[in-house]
Amino acid sequence: MTPDLEITESPAEADCAAVSNGLGAYNDAAYGQPLGKEARWIISRDAAGAVTGGARCDLSAGWLYLDWLWVAEAARGTGLGRRLLDAAEALARERGLLGVHLWTYSFQAPGFYVKHGYTEFARMADMPPGATRFWFAKRF
C-alpha cells in the first residue's frame, strides 16, 4: 500500500517532531556521532530597550550557520552589522567550530560579507526571480 501524502501550512507538532527526530537519528547514525544543533540569538538594543538589530545562529555539524542578520534602518552605517557579525564569529570560535556559513540575496548585502573575509562558494540566479542567492563561508 502506498502511503498518503499531506501538504499543510500548519502540521501538528508531533508530526514535525517525528520528521525532525527521524532525520536527526538517521544523520547521527550515518555520520557515526551526533551532529547536534543549538540555536543562539544575538540581540542589540538602544538605550530605551528597543531592538535595533540581531542575528540568529545555529551551531551544528562543526559550523555556525548565520541564519539571520538584521540591522534597523536607523542603525545602519553605525558599525552595528559588523559588531553582530563579530559576535557570531566569536561565538563560533569560543565553541571551537570550523567557521561560519550563510546565504544572502543580491538585494541584501553580499558585499558586506566579502568585505569581512567571507568567500562565495555558490550562487543561484533567479532565486527569487530577478535576484541572485549567494552562499558564503569563512573558515577560521
Side-chain angles (χ1 to χ4, degrees):
M1 177 176 203
T2 304
D4 290 336
L5 298 178
E6 173 187 357
I7 298 174
T8 178
E9 290 182 18
S10 54
E13 282 187 41
D15 295 343
C16 293
V19 173
S20 177
N21 293 338
L23 180 59
Y26 174 85
N27 287 343
D28 291 349
Y31 182 61
Q33 61 184 327
L35 292 173
K37 183 175 178 181
E38 301 174 36
R40 294 291 184 273
W41 289 83
I42 304 164
I43 306 295
S44 170
R45 297 180 189 278
D46 65 15
V51 174
T52 58
R56 183 189 186 285
C57 308
D58 286 326
L59 291 69
S60 178
W63 286 79
L64 184 144
Y65 170 57
L66 185 58
D67 192 15
W68 300 340
L69 191 146
W70 170 76
V71 175
E73 190 170 343
R76 292 180 189 156
T78 67
L80 178 56
R82 176 64 204 195
R83 289 180 53 220
L84 290 165
L85 189 59
D86 285 348
E89 290 178 11
L91 174 61
R93 284 187 171 96
E94 288 167 10
R95 297 298 293 273
L97 302 178
L98 297 171
V100 176
H101 69 102
L102 61 99
W103 63 262
T104 188
Y105 292 117
S106 55
F107 55 82
Q108 290 178 325
F112 171 79
Y113 298 105
V114 171
K115 177 181 172 182
H116 295 294
Y118 284 74
T119 301
E120 178 185 331
F121 65 88
R123 71 170 61 189
M124 184 174 289
D126 290 321
M127 187 177 190
T132 300
R133 182 181 285 190
F134 297 91
W135 284 264
F136 290 99
K138 183 176 188 178
R139 183 181 281 266
F140 302 138

